[in-house]
């Protein structure tokens, strides 16, 4: 990918301090964290010129990112419940999916693992079994709260019998 090096270096410096923003990029469910630019530098090959070396995920980011991602996860789950309570299953499932990817981001950050996109994020986070829940969504609002509770248990690290 072609990137503006000054922009990539700016967001790398921010990531080194544990700071990042989320960009709403088409195709991303939870958003694209700006520390992804640092991940690209860490995994890229220099074709021309010299770039500063980037290695492991910065300690400050490992400490800060999971907390922020889990705040977002909890917020998304609460909105999923609110949608379900109103009978809006599309909104409930959309927010539940967002919460799932937010938890996955939290887990890979805890591991200090660079991930460049969401394509294999659930597997990298070790929560790919959550697909089983989404393969059998609740048939209606009445069952949605129980389904969301099972999802929350998985995202919290508990093992649910339904997964």
């Amino acid at each position: 990918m072609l990137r503006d090096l000054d922009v990539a270096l700016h967001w790398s410096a921010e990531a080194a301090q544990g700071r990042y923003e989320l960009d709403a990029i088409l195709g991303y469910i939870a958003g694209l964290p700006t520390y992804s630019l640092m991940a690209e530098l860490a995994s890229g090959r220099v074709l021309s010129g010299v770039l500063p070396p980037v290695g492991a995920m910065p300690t400050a980011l490992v400490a800060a990112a999971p907390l922020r991602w889990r705040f977002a996860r909890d917020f998304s789950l609460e909105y999923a419940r609110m949608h379900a309570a109103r009978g809006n299953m599309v909104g409930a499932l959309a927010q539940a999916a967002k919460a799932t990817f937010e938890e996955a981001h939290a887990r890979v950050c805890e591991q200090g693992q660079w991930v460049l996109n969401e394509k294999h994020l659930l597997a990298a986070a070790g929560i790919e079994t959550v697909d089983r829940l989404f393969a059998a969504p609740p048939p209606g609002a009445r069952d949605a709260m129980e389904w969301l509770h099972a999802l929350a248990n998985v995202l919290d690290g508990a093992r649910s019998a339904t997964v």
Side-chain angles (χ1 to χ4, degrees):
M1 296 187 152
L2 298 176
R3 298 281 188 236
D4 181 321
L5 183 57
D6 290 336
V7 172
L9 293 175
H10 166 77
W11 286 113
S12 294
E14 288 294 301
Q17 299 301 312
R19 296 186 295 262
Y20 64 95
E21 292 181 6
L22 287 175
D23 291 335
I25 303 293
L26 294 175
Y28 283 80
I29 296 167
L32 179 67
T34 53
Y35 60 74
S36 294
L37 293 170
M38 189 177 202
E40 289 176 352
L41 287 172
S43 65
R45 228 176 14 158
V46 178
L47 300 177
S48 176
V50 178
L51 290 175
V54 177
M57 187 177 282
T59 305
L61 190 59
V62 171
L67 297 172
R68 183 173 170 191
W69 281 115
R70 289 201 171 105
F71 175 83
R73 175 207 64 192
D74 293 345
F75 193 91
S76 296
L77 282 172
E78 187 57 30
Y79 264 72
R81 291 181 190 102
M82 289 176 11
H83 281 294
R86 291 181 177 92
N88 178 356
M89 292 307 297
V90 172
L93 292 173
Q95 288 294 325
K98 186 171 184 272
T100 300
F101 279 92
E102 289 162 343
E103 174 59 25
H105 276 290
R107 290 182 185 204
V108 297
C109 286
E110 276 179 334
Q111 299 164 9
Q113 181 180 351
W114 290 123
V115 174
L116 296 176
N117 57 52
E118 294 177 337
K119 291 179 184 100
H120 302 286
L121 180 59
L122 299 182
I127 58 173
E128 65 272 20
T129 59
V130 79
D131 275 333
R132 293 181 194 156
L133 277 174
F134 282 91
R142 178 180 295 165
D143 301 310
M145 291 301 183
E146 184 178 327
W147 185 90
L148 287 167
H149 180 72
L151 175 64
N153 283 340
V154 172
L155 300 184
D156 282 337
R159 294 293 166 218
S160 171
T162 59
V163 175

